[in-house]
Amino acid sequence: MNVRYMPHAHIDGAAISLLNAYGRQQGQITHPPVPADEIMECHLRLSLLFDDLRKKFDDPSVLGAMRVDRREVLIDQSLDPYGNPSLKGRYRFTIAHEIGHWILHREQFEMALSAPLLDSEKGPSIICRSSHKKPRIELQADRFAAYLLMPVEMVRAQWEIVTGSREPYVAEKEIRDLAERYRLAESEQRPTVEVAKRMAETFEVSGQAMQIRLVELNLILTKQPPRTLFG
Amino acid sequence: MAGNPAFGSYIRKLREKRKLTDPSFSLRRFAETIGISPTFLSKIETGELDPPAPARIKKMAELLEVNADDLLILADKFDPELKEIIKDQPKAMADFLRTARDVNLSEEGLRKITEQIRKLKH
């Protein structure tokens, strides 16, 4: 399905207002981790199901899916946090990603389902794959997930607790050292720095997701900032 | 495994009603309390897999506030406690049960006798 461009601020706003609405119902979330599955199940009243999606769709990259008309979210059983606690971050991110579809794209799917020209599909309306070239709809849901699990205020507050300051960390050298140690090519993903790993534990997300968010918020700088005239 | 859709959908219906006001009834947390994986619970609920062991069914009944025996019957399971009850008085208890069966007591009749026995306690 084709979706329109959405400004980041719009996606961020949608995530924040969901957190606030959940907070009014169940009590404000003041500390990480953000209870993603409870927001989905208790507040949005969606059903969560685990299934062998990778086998059912004969595609190892399928980790989540949604049946909009049945209000069901399906997660691949390889992400079950009971059997694979080390993948808890990915489980939570996938849940938050599906919430993103529900919040950002639901209306379009409902319209598509009620359109008489379309056959009503028996299968899920959205199938989410982890691949490198994601369509826009998937990127929007990913962005929503990051904003929901790592809201800016919470990240900044936690950053101050963990690093003892509000100042950004220049990670250029650490990233270079890690890349050398693991012999990573320039084109590959950046290795995760220590402070991102520590924050990731608190937010219960993957180190990579945490690092991307910290870079985005300019709390981790991947390059030494240029010296200003007065610096 | 054949699965038991009647049991599964009953559990899911009760749990989903409770989860709206109590997050401990979310799929993951309810499964955790029962002592099974969320995947197992999910597949029990959809009827893909059979109900869990009797002890876990009894725990489900307790949390969902329904009668444990009713839930065990729905799951086509047998409370293992009954085995212990017979073991404690292997001769007398077995005789008691066989007699009740042999005289072809109706459910109503059994209930009346049970009520009388209960009164003996006081």
Side-chain angles (χ1 to χ4, degrees), chain A residues 37 46-47 50 77 80, chain B residues 16 19 28-29 39 42-43:
Chain A
D37 46 15
L46 299 173
S47 294
F50 281 94
Q77 62 194 42
D80 185 331
Chain B
E16 298 231 308
K19 82 173 186 189
R28 186 171 53 84
R29 287 182 54 189
T39 300
S42 180
K43 291 187 174 186

Side-chain angles (χ1 to χ4, degrees), chain A residues 83-171:
Chain A
N84 304 297
S86 66
L87 295 178
K88 191 162 192 192
R90 296 200 66 188
Y91 160 74
R92 288 167 43 75
F93 200 87
T94 308
I95 296 267
H97 171 105
E98 300 303 325
I99 295 176
H101 281 314
W102 180 257
I103 299 288
L104 303 174
H105 309 126
R106 175 179 81 244
E107 279 179 15
Q108 286 187 57
F109 276 97
E110 283 169 345
M111 281 196 311
L113 285 172
S114 60
L117 287 173
L118 285 163
D119 293 330
S120 66
E121 288 177 308
K122 285 276 177 278
S125 15
I126 308 177
I127 300 166
C128 307
R129 296 175 167 86
S130 62
S131 58
H132 292 292
K133 283 181 88 180
K134 287 184 178 179
R136 179 184 273 167
I137 186 169
E138 293 302 298
L139 293 174
Q140 289 178 350
D142 274 355
R143 195 157 277 284
F144 181 93
Y147 293 159
L148 186 75
L149 297 176
M150 297 167 279
V152 55
E153 296 301 327
M154 229 184 263
V155 173
R156 289 195 194 282
Q158 200 61 32
W159 178 264
E160 218 177 317
I161 293 169
V162 170
T163 68
S165 103
R166 292 185 190 182
E167 294 302 308
Y169 165 59
V170 183

Side-chain angles (χ1 to χ4, degrees), chain A residues 44-71:
Chain A
L44 296 173
R45 305 181 167 209
L46 299 173
S47 294
L48 172 60
L49 292 94
F50 281 94
D51 208 344
D52 197 348
L53 298 181
R54 300 199 286 189
K55 192 175 158 194
K56 278 201 173 146
F57 296 107
D58 193 24
D59 180 346
S61 69
V62 177
L63 294 177
M66 174 175 268
R67 290 191 191 117
V68 174
D69 53 335
R70 291 167 66 168
R71 303 179 75 95

Side-chain angles (χ1 to χ4, degrees), chain A residues 22 25-26 37-38 41-42 45-52 56 72 77 80-83 88 91, chain B residues 12 15-16 19-23 25-29 32 35-40 42-43 46 48:
Chain A
Y22 176 84
Q25 196 191 48
Q26 308 273 351
D37 46 15
E38 285 166 23
E41 291 186 71
C42 310
R45 305 181 167 209
L46 299 173
S47 294
L48 172 60
L49 292 94
F50 281 94
D51 208 344
D52 197 348
K56 278 201 173 146
E72 287 179 351
Q77 62 194 42
D80 185 331
Y82 187 91
K88 191 162 192 192
Y91 160 74
Chain B
R12 182 171 168 187
R15 186 183 63 74
E16 298 231 308
K19 82 173 186 189
L20 300 177
T21 50
D22 185 348
F25 286 88
S26 73
L27 182 79
R28 186 171 53 84
R29 287 182 54 189
E32 255 169 33
I36 61 178
S37 78
T39 300
F40 188 28
S42 180
K43 291 187 174 186
T46 56
E48 192 181 326

Side-chain angles (χ1 to χ4, degrees), chain A residues 132 175 178-180 182-192 208 211:
Chain A
H132 292 292
I175 289 174
L178 286 169
E180 265 172 35
Y182 298 114
R183 294 170 195 281
L184 295 180
E186 193 106 338
S187 58
E188 283 177 272
Q189 261 183 337
R190 283 192 196 113
T192 312
Q208 270 297 328
Q211 180 155 313

